[in-house]
Amino acid sequence: MIGERRSGQFVTPGTPLAIIEEFLPGPGTYVEGCYVYSKITGYMLLDTLNKKVSVYPAVKSPNVPTVGSIVLGIVESVNFKSCDVSIKVVGRRKLSGSLMGVLHISDASPHYVESVFDVCRPGDYIKAEVISNKNRTFHLSTVDRNLGVVLAFCSRCGYQLSKENRRMYCKRCKNVEKRKASSEYWVLT
Amino acid sequence: MEKSEKPLITEDGLRTDGRGPRDLRPVKIEVGVVKNADGSAYIEHGKNKILAAVYGPSEVHPRHFALQDRALLRCKYHMAPFSVQDRKSPAPSRREIELSKVIREALEPSLFLEYYPRTSIDIFIEVLQADGGTRCASITAASIALADAGIPMRDMVVACAAGKVDGHIVLDLNDIEDKNGEADMPLAMMPNKGLITLLQMDGLVTQEEFKQMLELAMEGCNLIYQIQKKALKSTFIKTVEEV
């Protein structure tokens, strides 16, 4: 079943790579029966020293955030204790759809905040880090200086807010609001 | 479709398009043709021209369709109004809805859906030109699109039909043979595992003929699998050289 093989060989999903007695399954592989198979399209890596076979992907992996990913999203709904974020960008890659994330008040800011309404409001663009994917939910954090709201809109008139000192100011209706703004707050002209 | 006066298989054993009974139509596959999709493929299987695109994993909409333990696989097979001789209504027909289900179920066993709970993976298949055996070509194309999207798979899925025409067992029926022949049997399988994921049949055959057809269809699948692998390989080897 397994013919001639070498490291760097191009493999497609389902290609048998080794017998389980020969090699341990590494990333990009799976075991069924007595064989190690590839589960992605890529290049086979045979680690003869550690007796491990893995597949280095040739295709982009599915755009799903992992713990530590920096994501960009839109705030969907806000409660006192948490808010829902619709994740649109993971790292530098845009999602073809979106994924839901949750930002809890305890992960929103390095300081004490009264409610999540002082962190973000629905419609805001927010940059956050994924800190956990427990319970199949992406838990977000905006504690870091460069994380937080990157673009906010006035909740009275809808005009974009500008960051002035530590407050968010609406140039159109002179409204002043609170946000946990990122140090990378966008300046739109 | 016109009822052919000519015999479907001539005395020399050649078919309407000049193929032998065990010959495949020429297959051409391109990978990554839809820029905005996560994965895509284009297949030309004889006169069939089919585009498949994969999106996801992403949020399920409407939300209550989401599955808590695995990804939801959704498939939409659609024929373009200009894909057949008489204009086809662009609205999904009963046949298209059934084919969507059949294709989804043929692909489902090949995917590790449990890796992406509460998300959906959407496959869109657009038939631009049809000439018999679109479901088989669609499955082949969709499987490549899934591989291109990087979704973990147990194996590729390939499909090919076999049938009985004018008393002969033949491989890869075209539209005329499908409509005027005695039997048609589409088969989809995971070639490395030798597992069948789709098996349908219409018409009447004997048990012995069924066995022959099954064997022939599996042979055809293995031939297409080689083309599938080559298509993926040439796409990515080329990208490496460009970098």
Side-chain angles (χ1 to χ4, degrees):
Chain A
M1 194 169 177
I2 299 165
E4 204 179 305
R5 66 178 172 199
R6 58 184 168 77
S7 270
Q9 192 181 321
F10 184 83
V11 293
T12 50
T15 311
L17 305 172
I19 296 166
I20 43 170
E21 280 91 347
E22 293 180 282
F23 286 98
L24 287 166
T29 68
Y30 74 98
V31 176
E32 200 172 278
C34 61
Y35 288 101
V36 182
Y37 296 94
S38 169
K39 65 180 171 190
I40 48 167
T41 313
Y43 307 96
M44 171 158 66
L45 286 174
L46 286 167
D47 185 351
T48 40
L49 210 66
N50 299 313
K51 296 283 173 214
K52 200 171 172 188
V53 62
S54 49
V55 177
Y56 181 78
V59 289
K60 285 179 191 160
S61 55
N63 208 357
V64 175
T66 49
V67 173
S69 304
I70 302 294
V71 297
L72 195 62
I74 297 174
V75 178
E76 293 281 309
S77 66
V78 183
N79 299 314
F80 282 101
K81 282 185 175 174
S82 72
C83 72
D84 289 338
V85 178
S86 167
I87 299 166
K88 301 283 185 190
V89 179
V90 179
R92 306 182 108 200
R93 273 174 73 193
K94 200 170 163 284
L95 286 172
S96 58
S98 66
L99 290 163
M100 275 322 231
V102 174
L103 175 65
H104 190 256
I105 189 164
S106 59
D107 302 315
S109 168
H111 312 291
Y112 173 77
V113 276
E114 197 90 342
S115 91
V116 180
F117 286 100
D118 296 339
V119 174
C120 57
R121 296 276 173 115
D124 289 356
Y125 287 60
I126 197 164
K127 193 177 172 186
E129 184 190 348
V130 177
I131 51 166
S132 151
N133 55 8
K134 289 259 164 67
N135 301 321
R136 292 157 188 162
T137 317
F138 298 112
H139 295 275
L140 306 174
S141 163
T142 55
V143 173
D144 209 63
R145 229 178 73 81
N146 60 339
L147 302 178
V149 171
V150 286
L151 181 63
F153 298 95
C154 175
S155 44
R156 196 159 70 187
C157 74
Y159 193 70
Q160 72 200 42
L161 296 173
S162 34
K163 191 182 169 191
E164 286 180 6
N165 299 325
R166 302 183 113 217
R167 307 190 122 184
M168 307 303 288
Y169 176 70
C170 175
K171 282 181 179 161
R172 192 157 75 181
C173 71
K174 317 281 184 253
N175 190 19
V176 173
E177 294 192 21
K178 267 188 179 173
R179 291 289 194 282
K180 197 285 173 186
S182 159
S183 61
E184 296 163 15
Y185 192 81
W186 297 347
V187 184
L188 300 185
T189 46
Chain B
M1 200 68 209
E2 73 278 18
K3 185 90 179 168
S4 60
E5 293 298 315
K6 288 185 288 182
L8 291 167
I9 294 187
T10 61
E11 281 171 17
D12 339 332
L14 290 179
R15 296 204 249 161
T16 47
D17 46 8
R19 281 185 291 158
R22 299 173 77 88
D23 289 350
L24 216 57
R25 286 177 284 183
V27 180
K28 196 184 116 195
I29 298 169
E30 274 175 57
V31 185
V33 285
V34 183
K35 198 179 133 239
N36 286 337
D38 290 317
S40 59
Y42 170 71
I43 189 167
E44 275 182 26
H45 189 129
K47 283 182 193 160
N48 289 314
K49 293 180 181 172
I50 296 163
L51 205 52
V54 170
Y55 295 83
S58 60
E59 194 81 357
V60 190
H61 192 80
R63 197 82 70 86
H64 70 272
F65 282 175
L67 303 170
Q68 298 304 309
D69 57 341
R70 61 180 190 275
L72 177 71
L73 185 67
R74 286 189 291 199
C75 180
K76 193 184 162 211
Y77 167 98
H78 181 250
M79 287 178 95
F82 50 81
S83 64
V84 278
Q85 286 290 316
D86 305 312
R87 184 190 124 94
K88 197 218 143 272
S89 161
S93 64
R94 190 192 161 103
R95 179 180 167 274
E96 284 171 291
I97 294 164
E98 185 186 322
L99 280 184
S100 301
K101 172 193 171 283
V102 155
I103 292 167
R104 189 190 72 225
E105 287 177 355
L107 294 167
E108 226 164 15
S110 78
L111 298 169
F112 287 98
L113 291 176
E114 62 274 23
Y115 287 5
Y116 305 104
R118 291 186 191 174
T119 60
S120 77
I121 297 168
D122 297 278
I123 306 168
F124 296 94
I125 296 161
E126 188 71 24
V127 179
L128 306 175
Q129 190 174 302
D131 184 41
T134 52
R135 82 191 65 186
C136 292
S138 299
I139 291 168
T140 310
S143 183
I144 305 172
L146 285 163
D148 182 36
I151 292 160
M153 294 163 88
R154 266 173 253 275
D155 200 346
M156 302 291 288
V157 183
V158 274
C160 186
K164 190 182 167 194
V165 173
D166 278 1
H168 294 72
I169 303 296
V170 294
L171 182 67
D172 192 15
L173 285 80
N174 63 23
D175 195 50
I176 303 167
E177 291 169 334
D178 184 15
K179 286 192 172 118
N180 305 316
E182 285 112 287
D184 174 31
M185 188 181 76
L187 172 111
M189 65 183 282
M190 299 201 264
N192 286 303
K193 304 285 170 63
L195 298 174
I196 292 169
T197 61
L198 166 81
L199 182 65
Q200 293 182 306
M201 195 181 77
D202 62 5
L204 285 172
V205 289
T206 64
Q207 273 190 34
E208 193 46 48
E209 281 168 336
F210 172 79
K211 277 180 195 159
Q212 283 176 25
M213 275 159 60
L214 190 70
E215 218 162 274
L216 191 60
M218 284 169 104
E219 253 173 58
C221 282
N222 282 319
L223 289 173
I224 296 174
Y225 177 55
Q226 299 306 322
I227 301 166
Q228 221 181 23
K229 267 204 296 197
K230 217 177 272 174
L232 274 171
K233 190 170 178 175
S234 61
T235 311
F236 295 112
I237 300 292
K238 202 166 58 196
T239 27
V240 168
E241 278 168 5
E242 277 166 15
V243 173

